Amino acid sequence: METVKERFTHHLQRMQDLICGSLEQEDGSACFSEDSWQRPGGGGGRTRILQEGSVFEKAGVNFSEVYGKITPPLRSQLQLAGSSFFATGLSIVIHPLNPFVPTTHANVRYFELYDEQGECCDRWFGGGIDLTPYYLFADDCVHFHRTLKACCDRSGPDLYPRLKKQCDEYFVNIHRGREARGVGGIFFDHCRPGNGSTAAFWLDFTEECSRSFLPAYLPIVDRRKNIPYTPRHRTWQEIRRGRYVEFNLMYDRGTLFGLKTGGRTESILMSLPPAVRFQYNHVPEPGSEEEKLVTILKNPVDWA
Amino acid sequence: METVKERFTHHLQRMQDLICGSLEQEDGSACFSEDSWQRPGGGGGRTRILQEGSVFEKAGVNFSEVYGKITPPLRSQLQLAGSSFFATGLSIVIHPLNPFVPTTHANVRYFELYDEQGECCDRWFGGGIDLTPYYLFADDCVHFHRTLKACCDRSGPDLYPRLKKQCDEYFVNIHRGREARGVGGIFFDHCRPGNGSTAAFWLDFTEECSRSFLPAYLPIVDRRKNIPYTPRHRTWQEIRRGRYVEFNLMYDRGTLFGLKTGGRTESILMSLPPAVRFQYNHVPEPGSEEEKLVTILKNPVDWA
C-alpha cells in the first residue's frame, strides 16, 4: 500500500505536469524549461521555469522532495527535535506581463520528522494560494476567493474563514504599515493529525487545494490578458513588484528557510519578479486606481 | 565646549551639504530634493534624494539624529542594556545610470547609550565606504582602495588592513556561495574608547572617513560616465542590482535594524536600486567581462 509521502509526492509530480501544460497553453508562445537538481544531503527537485512569454513574463512551477539528517543549521531553522526528515512540496509563482493580470503564488508541502531509531515522530501538511493584483477588479477577487472557499468547504465549513484570516495575517509587509502583499487567499501550516482530524484528512485537503489552483487563477488571466496598457500601468506594476520582493526576502518563511538551510538558491528565488522598480516615496494620485488598490491592501476584504 | 555628539552632528550636516552639492555638480542636470521628518519617539532627519539625473539614476544622502527611550523592540534589536539612547549618522547610496560607473555606499554613525540616571554608559562609532562595480576597471578599484588606505593610515598603520578585511567579510551574499556585493572598501562598527584609543581618536577618524568619500568616488564617476553602453550592459547592471537588493533586505544590519525599530521606511529603503531584474539562473558567458567580475567577487583582491 502507498504511504502518505509516496501518494502525495506522486500527486505533486502529476500536478506539476498538469499546471505547466495548462500555463503553456494559456501563454501560447513560451514553454517551460526544466532543471533537475540533486541535494547533496539527500533528494532533489525538478525546477520548471518559463520566461518572456506572451502572457507570462516569468513563471516557476517547482517540485522538490528532499530528505536526510537534520544538521545544526537546519535544526536552528526548524526549532524542532528530530534526527532526520523528509519534505516534499510544489511551489508556483507566476508574474504576468500585463499589469492588469495579477501575480499569483501557490504552495503545498508535506513534512515528516524521524527520531534516532528512524521512527516517524511528527508530520504535517502546509500550503496556501494567494493573489497579488496591480489593479483591482472586484470580480477577480470574488472568483478567486469563492473557488478557494468551495475547495475548503468540501472538507469542512470552518476551514475557509480560518485559512483566509491566516493568509491575511501572514502576507504582510510590517515595515509598510502592515500593507498586505495582495488580496489574500488561504494559508495553512503545521496541520497535523489530531483534534479529530486524521493525516488522511489533511492529505485529501492539501491535494484538493493544489487542484483548485488552475480553476482559481486561469479564468482571471483569460479575461484580463488582452486589456491594453500604457507605460504608466507598467511602472505601477514594477513598483508594486518591489513590495513583493521586500516581503519575500524579509519575511517569507519558506524563502528564508530554504536559503539558510542550503536549498538551491536559483529554485527558491524564482519567486522574484523579472523587472522591478524601487522609487523613492512613490505616492499614488488621490482618487486613482492605484490608490484604490493600496487602500484595499491595508484593509482586507471578505471577498467570498 | 562642544560635546562629541554636538561636534559630530554638525560635521555630518555640513558633509551632507557638501556631498549633495558635489553630486549635483557632477550630474549636471538633476537636483536633490529634501524631506525633513520627525521621529515620534524623538529626533528626526533630513532625507535628500536625487532621481533620474543624467549621471545618477538614484542617489540618497540622508542625515538623521534620533534619540529617546529604548523600547522593547529596540532593545531586542540592539541586544544591549540601557534606558535611553542617542544616534546620529549620514548614509549615502548612489546608483548611477551608466553600467560602467559603479554603485557606491557610505555610512558613518555615532551611538550613545544612557543608564536610568541619564548617565552615558556606552558609546561607539561605526562606518564604512564600499564600491559595487558592474564592470571591473582595476584602476578604479585601486584608486578607491588607495584613497581609503591613505585615510586610514593617517590614523594608524594597522587600520586599513583590519577594516578592509571586515568589509570583505560583511558585504557578502551567503546564499550566493559567499559572493561579495562589490569590491569592498572599509567597514567598522562598535569602535569604543579603550585599548589605548580615545573617543577623540574615533571621532577624528570617522570624520576623516566621511571626508574621503568624495575623493574616493568622484574621480571614478568622472572617467567612466561617458563610456557608451548597450542594452546588454544595462541588463547585466540590472541583474547585479538584484544581488544588491538581496544583500540589503536579507543581511544588512542597518536596514533591518532601522525597519524593525520603526525607522522611516522610505528613508531606509532609498538604498534600493531604481530598476532591477531578477532572471532565473543567469550565468555569464565564459571569458566575458561579466564573468570576470563574478570571479573577483568570490575572491577578494588586495587592491591597495
Side-chain angles (χ1 to χ4, degrees):
Chain A
M1 199 189 132
E2 244 184 354
T3 62
V4 169
K5 72 184 187 184
E6 283 163 355
R7 178 178 138 186
F8 192 61
T9 300
H10 293 149
H11 167 77
L12 294 185
Q13 290 175 308
R14 285 192 304 271
M15 286 307 300
Q16 188 188 30
D17 292 339
L18 175 68
I19 290 168
C20 288
S22 303
L23 291 173
E24 283 177 354
Q25 205 175 350
E26 186 68 34
D27 190 81
S29 74
C31 287
F32 280 88
S33 67
E34 180 176 294
D35 283 329
S36 286
W37 53 273
Q38 307 257 304
R39 180 176 171 274
R46 283 194 324 211
T47 293
R48 290 193 189 156
I49 307 285
L50 177 156
Q51 290 189 107
E52 295 177 33
S54 317
V55 177
F56 303 117
E57 194 174 346
K58 185 177 179 185
V61 182
N62 295 357
F63 165 78
S64 67
E65 182 190 19
V66 298
Y67 46 82
K69 293 220 161 167
I70 296 184
T71 56
L74 197 56
R75 192 181 312 275
S76 76
Q77 283 294 313
L78 279 170
Q79 300 200 288
L80 275 170
S83 177
S84 58
F85 77 101
F86 168 91
T88 189
L90 185 67
S91 284
I92 307 163
V93 179
I94 301 175
H95 291 288
L97 185 63
N98 187 316
F100 294 110
V101 184
T103 283
T104 192
H105 156 256
N107 173 274
V108 284
R109 54 193 177 271
Y110 175 60
F111 203 95
E112 286 188 356
L113 204 63
Y114 311 101
D115 63 18
E116 290 193 3
Q117 283 73 45
E119 290 293 314
C120 183
C121 55
D122 198 0
R123 52 179 173 159
W124 66 88
F125 287 91
I129 308 183
D130 63 282
L131 195 72
T132 305
Y134 304 96
Y135 288 92
L136 203 69
F137 294 94
D139 284 2
D140 294 352
C141 304
V142 169
H143 165 79
F144 191 79
H145 275 271
R146 283 195 181 151
T147 309
L148 299 180
K149 180 175 185 297
C151 162
C152 291
D153 288 352
R154 287 192 284 278
S155 292
D158 61 325
L159 270 176
Y160 173 77
R162 194 153 56 89
L163 273 42
K164 192 267 188 203
K165 187 161 171 275
Q166 285 175 192
C167 188
D168 286 336
E169 285 164 1
Y170 178 74
F171 291 103
V172 166
N173 271 324
I174 299 165
H175 65 285
R176 294 284 187 186
R178 301 200 61 84
E179 183 185 91
R181 188 175 77 169
V183 296
I186 55 171
F187 181 79
F188 57 106
D189 203 4
H190 301 114
C191 291
R192 298 175 164 86
N195 278 331
S197 65
T198 60
F201 171 85
W202 289 115
L203 171 62
D204 287 341
F205 173 69
T206 309
E207 287 188 0
E208 191 65 9
C209 280
S210 69
R211 277 189 288 264
S212 294
F213 170 71
L214 288 173
Y217 183 59
L218 278 190
I220 298 172
V221 178
D222 222 45
R223 60 194 183 205
R224 307 298 170 203
K225 69 181 181 184
N226 293 318
I227 301 180
Y229 62 90
T230 68
R232 171 203 160 136
H233 301 124
R234 178 74 185 170
T235 297
W236 174 244
Q237 179 196 44
E238 291 180 353
I239 290 170
R240 294 304 312 171
R241 283 173 169 180
R243 308 296 175 94
Y244 205 89
V245 172
E246 289 174 20
F247 178 83
N248 285 21
L249 295 182
M250 288 180 62
Y251 303 103
D252 187 58
R253 283 185 236 154
T255 302
L256 299 177
F257 176 81
L259 294 177
K260 289 188 177 175
T261 56
R264 183 174 180 262
T265 296
E266 286 295 339
S267 298
I268 297 163
L269 295 185
M270 68 82 177
S271 67
L272 301 180
V276 180
R277 194 179 294 247
F278 295 99
Q279 197 170 311
Y280 172 73
N281 210 19
H282 178 84
V283 180
E285 272 177 47
S288 65
E289 288 300 313
E290 290 81 3
E291 194 196 42
K292 275 183 208 162
L293 176 78
V294 174
T295 305
I296 290 288
L297 297 180
K298 295 215 172 178
N299 306 280
V301 173
D302 186 5
W303 296 104
Chain B
M1 198 189 129
E2 245 186 353
T3 62
V4 169
K5 72 183 188 186
E6 283 163 356
R7 178 178 137 185
F8 192 60
T9 300
H10 294 150
H11 167 77
L12 295 185
Q13 289 175 310
R14 285 192 305 271
M15 285 308 300
Q16 189 188 29
D17 292 340
L18 174 69
I19 290 168
C20 288
S22 303
L23 292 172
E24 283 178 355
Q25 203 175 352
E26 186 68 35
D27 189 81
S29 73
C31 287
F32 280 88
S33 66
E34 179 176 297
D35 283 331
S36 285
W37 52 274
Q38 306 256 303
R39 181 176 170 273
R46 285 195 322 213
T47 293
R48 291 196 187 152
I49 307 285
L50 177 157
Q51 288 189 107
E52 295 177 33
S54 317
V55 176
F56 304 117
E57 193 173 347
K58 186 177 179 185
V61 182
N62 296 356
F63 164 77
S64 67
E65 182 189 20
V66 299
Y67 46 82
K69 291 218 163 169
I70 296 184
T71 56
L74 197 57
R75 193 182 311 276
S76 77
Q77 282 293 314
L78 279 171
Q79 301 199 288
L80 277 170
S83 179
S84 58
F85 77 102
F86 168 90
T88 188
L90 184 67
S91 285
I92 306 162
V93 178
I94 300 175
H95 291 288
L97 185 63
N98 187 317
F100 294 111
V101 184
T103 283
T104 193
H105 156 255
N107 173 272
V108 283
R109 54 193 178 273
Y110 175 60
F111 203 96
E112 287 187 357
L113 205 63
Y114 311 101
D115 63 19
E116 292 193 1
Q117 284 72 45
E119 290 293 313
C120 182
C121 54
D122 198 0
R123 51 179 173 157
W124 66 87
F125 287 90
I129 307 183
D130 63 282
L131 195 72
T132 304
Y134 303 97
Y135 288 93
L136 202 70
F137 294 95
D139 284 2
D140 294 352
C141 306
V142 169
H143 165 78
F144 191 78
H145 275 272
R146 283 194 182 153
T147 309
L148 299 181
K149 181 173 185 298
C151 162
C152 292
D153 287 353
R154 286 191 285 277
S155 291
D158 62 323
L159 271 176
Y160 173 77
R162 193 153 56 86
L163 273 41
K164 192 268 186 201
K165 187 162 171 273
Q166 284 175 193
C167 188
D168 286 338
E169 284 164 2
Y170 178 74
F171 292 103
V172 167
N173 272 322
I174 298 166
H175 65 285
R176 294 285 187 184
R178 302 199 61 84
E179 182 184 271
R181 188 175 77 169
V183 296
I186 55 172
F187 181 79
F188 56 106
D189 204 2
H190 301 115
C191 291
R192 296 175 165 86
N195 275 334
S197 65
T198 60
F201 172 84
W202 289 115
L203 171 62
D204 286 341
F205 173 68
T206 308
E207 288 189 0
E208 191 64 10
C209 280
S210 69
R211 278 189 288 265
S212 294
F213 170 72
L214 288 173
Y217 182 59
L218 278 191
I220 298 173
V221 178
D222 222 46
R223 60 193 183 205
R224 307 298 170 204
K225 69 182 181 183
N226 293 318
I227 301 179
Y229 61 89
T230 67
R232 170 203 162 138
H233 301 124
R234 179 74 184 170
T235 297
W236 174 244
Q237 181 197 42
E238 291 180 354
I239 290 171
R240 294 303 313 171
R241 283 172 169 180
R243 308 298 175 93
Y244 206 90
V245 172
E246 290 173 21
F247 178 83
N248 284 21
L249 295 182
M250 289 180 62
Y251 303 104
D252 187 57
R253 284 184 236 155
T255 303
L256 299 177
F257 175 82
L259 294 176
K260 291 188 176 174
T261 55
R264 183 173 180 261
T265 296
E266 287 295 339
S267 298
I268 298 164
L269 295 185
M270 68 82 177
S271 67
L272 300 179
V276 180
R277 193 179 294 246
F278 294 100
Q279 196 169 312
Y280 173 73
N281 210 20
H282 178 84
V283 180
E285 273 178 46
S288 65
E289 288 301 312
E290 290 81 3
E291 194 196 42
K292 274 182 208 163
L293 176 77
V294 175
T295 305
I296 290 287
L297 297 180
K298 296 217 173 177
N299 305 280
V301 172
D302 186 6
W303 296 105

